[in-house]
C-alpha cells in the first residue's frame, strides 16, 4: 500500500519530468506531441485530486448531528479517468510504428471533434467555435478516409469511426490495457469496480451502503484506488519518456525514481495485485 505522501511524491516527480520540455519549440510534423503533453498533465492532475479526496475527511451536519465520511465513490470515478487517460496515451501516442501511431492519433482527434460536434452552442462564441470545429472535423474525416489503414477496415468498422466517432474500433479497453502491459484479469477487476461508481451501478450502491458507517472501510476503499493509480502513474511516466527523449535522459539520471517507476509499473502484469 502506498501512503498519501508517497503517492504525492510519485505524481509530482512525474510532473517534474513534464516540465523539462515545457516551452521548447515543437518540430514541424510533431505537433501531436503537444497533445501528448497535455493528456499526460491532465492525467497527473486527476491523480493529485484523487489523492486529496482519498485522504480528506468531510463533515456534514444533519438532524443526527455531525456526520463524517470519505468520498470513496468520487475517488473511484477519478481513478477511472486516470486509468483511461493513461491508456489513451499508450494507445494513440506510443506505438513503435510511426504510421500506426499517426493513424491512431488521427482517429483519437477525430473522435474528440465528433463528440464536440454533437454539443448545441448557446452563445455566439460557442457558435463560432462550432463552425470552426465542423471545418476541422471534415478535414480529419478526409484524412482518415484516405489513410491506407482505414481502407483495410471492414464496412462496420468504417461506419463506427466515421458515423460514431469511435477512435478505437478494433480494440476494447481491456485489449488496450493488455497491449499496454496490464494483466487482463487485473484490469477487468479494477476497471469494472471503477466504472460501477462512474455509472451508478447497484454494486456501487451496495459498497457505499456497507461502508456508510465505517470511516476505516471508506478509507480502505479509497486507498485501494490510490494503490491502483500508483501503478497507472508509473506506467504513464515510462510511456511519457518514450515520447520525450530529454525527459527520458533526466529519468535515467535519477536512479531511485526510475526504480520506483519500474517497481510500481511491474505490478500491472500481476493478476493478484
Amino acid at each position: 500500500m502506498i501512503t498519501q505522501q508517497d503517492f504525492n511524491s510519485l505524481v509530482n516527480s512525474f510532473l517534474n519530468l513534464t516540465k523539462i520540455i515545457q516551452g521548447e519549440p515543437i518540430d514541424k510534423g510533431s505537433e501531436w506531441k503537444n497533445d501528448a503533453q497535455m493528456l499526460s498533465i491532465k492525467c497527473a492532475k486527476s491523480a493529485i485530486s484523487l489523492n486529496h479526496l482519498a485522504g480528506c475527511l468531510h463533515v456534514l451536519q444533519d438532524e443526527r448531528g455531525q456526520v463524517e465520511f470519505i468520498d470513496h465513490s468520487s475517488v473511484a470515478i477519478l481513478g477511472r479517468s486516470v486509468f483511461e487517460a493513461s491508456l489513451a496515451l499508450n494507445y494513440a501516442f506510443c506505438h513503435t510504428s510511426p504510421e500506426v501511431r499517426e493513424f491512431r492519433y488521427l482517429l483519437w482527434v477525430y473522435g474528440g471533434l465528433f463528440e464536440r460536434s454533437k454539443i448545441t452552442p448557446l452563445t455566439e462564441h460557442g457558435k463560432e467555435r462550432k463552425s470552426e470545429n465542423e471545418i476541422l472535423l471534415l478535414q480529419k474525416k478526409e484524412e482518415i478516409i484516405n489513410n491506407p489503414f482505414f481502407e483495410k477496415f471492414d464496412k462496420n468498422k468504417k461506419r463506427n469511426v466515421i458515423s460514431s466517432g469511435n477512435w478505437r474500433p478494433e480494440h476494447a479497453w481491456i485489449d488496450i490495457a493488455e497491449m499496454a502491459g496490464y494483466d487482463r484479469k487485473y484490469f477487468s477487476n479494477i476497471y469494472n469496480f471503477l466504472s460501477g461508481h462512474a455509472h451508478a451501478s447497484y454494486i456501487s450502491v451496495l459498497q457505499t451502503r456497507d461502508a456508510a458507517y465505517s470511516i476505516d472501510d471508506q478509507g480502505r476503499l479509497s486507498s485501494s484506488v490510490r494503490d491502483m493509480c500508483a501503478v497507472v502513474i508509473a506506467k504513464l511516466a515510462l510511456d511519457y519518456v518514450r515520447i520525450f527523449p530529454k525527459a527520458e535522459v533526466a529519468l535515467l539520471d535519477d536512479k531511485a525514481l526510475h526504480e520506483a517507476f519500474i517497481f510500481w509499473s511491474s505490478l500491472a502484469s500481476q493478476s493478484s495485485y
Side-chain angles (χ1 to χ4, degrees):
M1 180 179 291
I2 190 169
T3 66
Q4 184 176 29
Q5 183 177 356
D6 287 345
F7 184 85
N8 263 339
S9 178
L10 193 73
V11 179
N12 284 325
S13 294
F14 167 66
L15 284 173
N16 286 336
L17 290 177
T18 69
K19 293 176 183 177
I20 292 173
I21 55 92
Q22 281 184 0
E24 290 197 354
I26 300 175
D27 295 335
K28 187 175 181 181
S30 295
E31 292 82 4
W32 59 273
K33 288 189 176 183
N34 188 52
D35 287 333
Q37 172 80 344
M38 292 300 102
L39 180 60
S40 299
I41 292 174
K42 171 187 179 296
C43 185
K45 286 182 175 179
S46 293
I48 290 173
S49 295
L50 176 156
N51 195 34
H52 174 73
L53 275 180
C56 184
L57 187 65
H58 301 275
V59 179
L60 288 178
Q61 200 76 26
D62 65 11
E63 65 277 3
R64 297 172 296 169
Q66 187 169 285
V67 179
E68 298 179 337
F69 68 96
I70 296 174
D71 188 6
H72 61 90
S73 189
S74 292
V75 171
I77 292 170
L78 280 169
R80 184 184 180 206
S81 175
V82 171
F83 216 151
E84 289 187 354
S86 70
L87 290 177
L89 183 84
N90 179 274
Y91 185 75
F93 295 89
C94 293
H95 200 280
T96 54
S97 165
E99 292 79 18
V100 173
R101 187 209 67 230
E102 181 181 338
F103 180 59
R104 288 181 176 180
Y105 171 70
L106 178 60
L107 295 184
W108 180 74
V109 171
Y110 179 82
L113 294 172
F114 184 89
E115 287 299 314
R116 180 193 271 180
S117 71
K118 296 190 294 183
I119 300 174
T120 301
L122 301 177
T123 65
E124 289 303 318
H125 176 69
K127 292 176 182 178
E128 291 177 6
R129 293 298 300 272
K130 184 176 178 64
S131 297
E132 295 170 358
N133 186 83
E134 292 297 334
I135 294 173
L136 190 55
L137 183 65
L138 289 174
Q139 290 175 350
K140 296 303 177 183
K141 178 180 178 180
E142 190 69 20
E143 290 179 36
I144 289 172
I145 291 174
N146 292 323
N147 189 286
F149 288 108
F150 183 77
E151 293 177 0
K152 295 177 182 178
F153 282 173
D154 61 34
K155 187 179 297 183
N156 288 333
K157 286 189 176 69
K158 288 180 178 178
R159 182 169 56 249
N160 205 6
V161 171
I162 299 302
S163 301
S164 300
N166 187 351
W167 55 272
R168 46 185 182 86
E170 295 182 291
H171 304 102
W173 279 120
I174 193 169
D175 301 318
I176 294 175
E178 185 175 37
M179 289 187 289
Y182 288 92
D183 177 83
R184 286 183 74 91
K185 183 179 178 181
Y186 169 85
F187 175 81
S188 179
N189 287 340
I190 193 68
Y191 190 73
N192 287 338
F193 162 70
L194 300 177
S195 297
H197 285 274
H199 295 146
S201 74
Y202 175 61
I203 299 302
S204 72
V205 174
L206 285 182
Q207 290 171 340
T208 302
R209 184 197 66 190
D210 292 344
Y213 301 106
S214 173
I215 294 296
D216 288 341
D217 287 348
Q218 294 167 24
R220 278 191 288 271
L221 286 168
S222 297
S223 294
S224 68
V225 179
R226 180 196 288 134
D227 289 347
M228 177 275 297
C229 278
V231 176
V232 173
I233 290 297
K235 290 188 68 61
L236 175 75
L238 296 178
D239 281 339
Y240 179 86
V241 298
R242 290 166 58 191
I243 301 171
F244 298 102
K246 282 190 176 181
E248 183 177 33
V249 171
L251 178 60
L252 293 176
D253 284 342
D254 190 334
K255 185 178 179 181
L257 179 60
H258 187 227
E259 288 179 351
F261 284 147
I262 292 293
F263 166 74
W264 282 105
S265 66
S266 69
L267 299 180
S269 61
Q270 301 178 21
S271 61
S272 60
Y273 175 67

